[in-house]
């Protein structure tokens, strides 16, 4: 038996103290992906009890390279809660993250509910109200990012924070698959990519998410934010770093991590 | 073993012979430590003279090692420039016959057709772009004459920057209003997305690469001519080609180029 609540509590403690936990996988080699999602749900339940609220979802492991690294053949997901969101151009306080890495994404804002299974690309397109450029901070409560698939899913799919850009664009006005993306950290070009790096198209990630959550009784709600996955690899960031992503046709999104003495 | 002393001329003859016979060799600099960059370019020019003497036509130039990521990978801190002749052109639809190469790899590139002469030094990206008549998608089939692509900066420069063949896209685009730094390419093989990048991966911007080439050639007394093609450098990692494989590069605004290996 996997002690779901004990693992959830260990991760919740790690969030509070900033002290990472040792990887779970060596202790529980037989743990399944379902066990990992159970651990994840227990933490989300604790946050909701504490007054946080669910405002969307993110898809992780959206590239073949990341899936191969984790030894899986599908993405993973997690709930996004209101407290994970930071405003553009506002400093993210020291201590918000433990081992942050940044990823450029295109965020979907839904206008209509989307309930799987059976969701098609056409359904997904119809449900999206608009898209905005986004920066996602991934983070790990597991020591030194020594994660296998069970660890990362249990640890809320290594989620950290989200910064959304403020200019909405309609889906019809942009080709998300062939949209270019440049990521700059402290003014230096670090990563480039195209939307198609995300499961062939970011919309594929939205379809996958709706069809995966549907059978669990979860609907993607109007107003919810969906982060489909990164267009580049993730890059380590530290206090004092400023980060900008430029997305062709969508504009840019900017954030920075406060310095130690701010 | 050849006992004659190394000269730029001997280097040109040996590397052209290696290209003609698809034979690889080891580093020249290892045998000829005095080989410097100026001598390497003289060898490149001598190889061009040999090509012209047998009837090939000079039709443009290419840049190599323009991406900072690539520069770090091969430990070379500046791009190099090399010659393109009509014999290096692979008509669209013609297969890449792998056995005609040593170890061919495909790279998506942004290419320029010059409408005016461009003579450095002192050229900036704006002046460089004013000489560009049209922008094209391209795929370059690179092929180093050095085993395992193990070479020094002088080796690869003398080797015409690993030139092999190149395939041009068929749709000319106006450079005006085109954001080349955010022009994306999605690289697919067998229908699967394997890589993506933008023009920013090319020396910050392909316009900067063109200016760099004009200035470097200007110092050597050469002018870029109206009607020449300029291949600005690989945007992604080069994809090794094996028989039966197809690689497609789809650009945001420049159309697509597909190569098929047999």
């Amino acid at each position: 038996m996997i002690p779901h609540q004990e693992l959830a509590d260990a991760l919740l403690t790690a969030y509070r103290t900033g002290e990472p936990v040792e990887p779970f996988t060596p202790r529980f080699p037989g743990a399944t992906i379902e066990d990992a999602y159970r651990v994840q749900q227990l933490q989300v339940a604790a946050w909701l009890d504490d007054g946080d609220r669910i405002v969307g979802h993110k898809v992780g492991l959206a590239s073949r390279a990341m899936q191969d690294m984790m030894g899986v053949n599908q993405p993973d997901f997690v709930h996004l809660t209101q407290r994970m969101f930071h405003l553009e151009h506002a400093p993210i306080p020291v201590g918000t993250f433990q081992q942050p890495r940044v990823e450029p994404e295109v965020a979907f804002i839904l206008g209509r509910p989307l309930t799987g299974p059976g969701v098609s690309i056409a359904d997904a397109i119809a449900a999206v109200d608009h898209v905005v450029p986004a920066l996602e901070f991934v983070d790990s409560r597991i020591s030194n990012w020594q994660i296998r698939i069970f660890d990362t899913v249990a640890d809320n799919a290594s989620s950290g924070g989200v910064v959304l850009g403020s200019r909405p664009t309609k889906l019809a006005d942009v080709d998300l698959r062939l949209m270019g993306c440049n990521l700059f950290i402290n003014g230096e070009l670090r990563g480039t990519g195209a939307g198609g790096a995300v499961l062939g198209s970011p919309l594929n990630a939205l379809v996958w998410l709706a069809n995966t959550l549907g059978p669990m009784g979860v609907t993607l709600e109007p107003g919810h934010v969906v982060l489909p996955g990164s267009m580049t690899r993730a890059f380590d960031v530290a206090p004092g770093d400023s980060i900008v992503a430029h997305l062709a046709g969508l504009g840019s999104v900017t954030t920075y991590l406060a310095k130690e003495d701010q | 073993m050849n006992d004659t002393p190394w000269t730029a001329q001997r280097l040109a003859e040996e590397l052209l012979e290696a290209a003609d016979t698809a034979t690889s060799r080891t580093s020249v600099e290892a045998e000829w430590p005095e080989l410097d960059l100026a001598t390497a370019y003289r060898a490149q020019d001598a190889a061009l003279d040999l090509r012209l003497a047998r009837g090939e036509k000079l039709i443009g130039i290419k840049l190599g090692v323009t991406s900072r990521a690539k520069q770090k990978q091969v430990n070379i801190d500046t791009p190099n420039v090399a010659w393109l002749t009509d014999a290096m052109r692979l008509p669209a639809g013609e297969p890449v016959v792998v056995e005609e190469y040593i170890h061919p790899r495909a790279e998506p590139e942004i290419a320029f057709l010059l409408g005016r002469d461009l003579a450095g030094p002192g050229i900036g990206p704006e002046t460089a772009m004013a000489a560009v008549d049209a922008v094209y998608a391209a795929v370059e089939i690179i092929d180093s004459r050095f085993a395992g692509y193990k070479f020094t900066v002088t080796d690869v420069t003398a080797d015409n920057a690993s030139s092999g063949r190149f395939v041009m896209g068929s749709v000319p685009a106006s450079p005006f209003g085109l954001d080349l730094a955010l022009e994306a390419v999605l690289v697919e093989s067998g229908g699967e997305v394997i890589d993506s990048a933008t023009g920013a991966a090319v020396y910050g911007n392909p316009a900067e690469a063109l200016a760099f080439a004009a200035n470097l050639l200007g110092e050597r007394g050469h002018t870029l001519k109206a009607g020449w093609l300029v291949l600005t450098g690989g945007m992604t990692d080069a994809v090794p080609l094996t028989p039966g494989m197809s690689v497609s590069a789809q650009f945001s605004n420049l159309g697509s180029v597909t190569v098929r290996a047999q």
Side-chain angles (χ1 to χ4, degrees):
Chain A
M1 264 311 278
I2 307 300
H4 301 115
Q5 189 65 54
E6 179 198 321
L7 300 188
D9 288 343
L11 289 165
L12 288 166
T13 303
Y15 275 101
R16 265 197 310 277
T17 62
E19 291 293 321
V21 299
E22 290 307 307
F24 298 141
T25 301
R27 277 172 64 199
F28 304 104
T32 64
I33 194 99
E34 287 75 22
D35 289 313
Y37 279 113
R38 184 81 193 110
V39 174
Q40 191 191 99
Q41 283 155 5
L42 289 168
Q43 292 166 84
V44 174
W47 292 332
L48 299 183
D49 281 348
D50 190 42
D52 207 350
R53 106 192 132 82
I54 290 168
V55 296
H57 294 81
K58 80 152 196 162
V59 176
L61 307 180
S63 74
R64 175 71 175 274
M66 288 294 296
Q67 290 174 17
D68 286 349
M69 213 159 82
M70 287 290 141
V72 295
N73 56 14
Q74 59 172 5
D76 64 5
F77 70 87
V78 73
H79 299 80
L80 294 175
T81 68
Q82 180 262 321
R83 286 177 190 166
M84 294 177 184
F85 285 71
H86 302 268
L87 288 177
E88 193 174 13
H89 294 296
I92 297 178
V94 169
T96 302
F97 307 127
Q98 299 181 20
Q99 321 173 64
R101 295 174 177 170
V102 74
E103 301 180 336
E105 307 199 21
V106 55
F108 295 108
I109 316 298
L110 301 185
R112 290 200 227 161
L114 200 53
T115 311
V119 165
S120 68
I121 279 286
D123 298 327
I125 290 169
V128 172
D129 185 74
H130 62 272
V131 292
V132 290
L135 287 166
E136 185 193 347
F137 289 95
V138 293
D139 196 5
S140 185
R141 271 59 58 182
I142 309 290
S143 182
N144 294 317
W145 277 96
Q146 291 186 356
I147 52 172
R148 300 302 303 159
I149 185 67
F150 177 77
D151 303 291
T152 183
V153 171
D155 185 26
N156 297 299
S158 303
S159 59
V162 183
V163 179
L164 298 182
S166 55
R167 192 190 82 166
T169 300
K170 289 289 180 187
L171 265 191
D173 294 331
V174 63
D175 179 349
L176 289 186
R177 194 173 69 99
L178 293 177
M179 173 187 68
C181 168
N182 292 338
L183 180 73
F184 294 82
I185 301 176
N186 301 326
E188 184 189 0
L189 178 72
R190 298 296 300 277
T192 77
V198 182
L199 293 176
S201 164
L203 278 163
N204 289 350
L206 180 57
V207 169
W208 177 85
L209 180 68
N211 286 332
T212 302
L213 291 179
M216 303 174 186
V218 179
T219 289
L220 302 180
E221 303 287 353
H224 272 194
V225 177
V226 174
L227 295 179
S230 183
M231 290 180 273
T232 68
R233 73 173 182 85
F235 294 90
D236 288 336
V237 285
D241 284 349
S242 64
I243 303 128
V244 184
H246 294 272
L247 276 63
L250 264 64
S252 64
V253 53
T254 303
T255 187
Y256 68 105
L257 298 174
K259 291 194 186 85
E260 300 288 0
D261 55 2
Q262 267 176 331
Chain B
M1 269 316 269
N2 189 333
D3 290 332
T4 55
W6 279 107
T7 59
Q9 186 64 31
R10 178 185 154 196
L11 182 48
E13 288 167 7
E14 291 201 8
L15 288 172
L16 187 57
E17 169 78 11
D20 289 344
T21 56
T23 312
S24 66
R25 57 158 303 135
T26 54
S27 169
V28 173
E29 195 180 320
E31 295 175 32
W32 186 17
E34 295 79 19
L35 176 63
D36 60 12
L37 201 56
T39 309
Y41 274 115
R42 276 202 299 281
Q44 200 193 85
D45 292 348
L48 174 66
D49 287 341
L50 292 169
R51 286 179 177 274
L52 298 180
R54 68 188 189 189
E56 294 179 33
K57 303 296 177 206
L58 176 60
I59 60 167
I61 60 163
K62 58 162 276 178
L63 286 104
V65 209
T66 43
S67 110
R68 309 257 187 240
K70 182 74 164 284
Q71 288 176 12
K72 278 179 191 162
Q73 218 177 355
V74 297
N75 202 21
I76 290 174
D77 62 2
T78 179
N80 51 35
V81 176
W83 303 112
L84 294 178
T85 73
D86 60 338
M88 298 176 191
R89 183 168 193 138
L90 190 64
E94 290 282 314
V96 174
V97 180
V98 170
E99 65 185 13
E100 292 174 0
Y101 302 76
I102 298 164
H103 39 200
R105 297 179 179 179
E107 290 184 343
E109 304 198 21
I110 291 171
F112 295 134
L113 172 67
L114 298 184
R116 287 197 245 159
D117 289 0
L118 190 58
I123 299 294
E126 305 79 11
T127 309
M129 288 310 292
V132 171
D133 192 59
V135 185
Y136 283 88
V139 168
E140 189 182 359
I141 315 299
I142 60 166
D143 196 29
S144 174
R145 263 54 66 178
F146 296 101
Y149 281 81
K150 287 192 175 23
F151 46 67
T152 66
V153 62
T154 54
D155 287 333
V156 67
T157 301
D159 188 28
N160 207 41
S162 306
S163 66
R165 303 278 188 94
F166 65 95
V167 185
M168 296 294 294
S170 56
V171 188
S174 167
F176 291 94
L178 201 56
D179 185 346
L180 291 176
L182 276 173
E183 179 69 21
V185 66
L186 196 61
V187 183
E188 301 175 345
S189 182
E192 187 186 0
V193 172
I194 54 173
D195 209 346
S196 71
T198 67
V202 181
Y203 210 52
N205 189 316
E208 296 277 3
L210 176 59
F212 175 90
N215 292 331
L216 190 75
L217 285 168
E219 285 168 19
R220 288 164 50 203
H222 299 289
T223 295
L224 305 191
K225 299 290 188 186
W228 277 12
L229 292 172
V230 178
L231 296 179
T232 58
M235 301 166 75
T236 65
D237 281 346
V239 183
L241 292 175
T242 53
M245 198 174 160
S246 71
V247 173
S248 161
Q250 303 191 38
F251 291 75
S252 316
N253 299 289
L254 304 176
S256 65
V257 178
T258 300
V259 297
R260 162 174 72 85
Q262 72 178 34

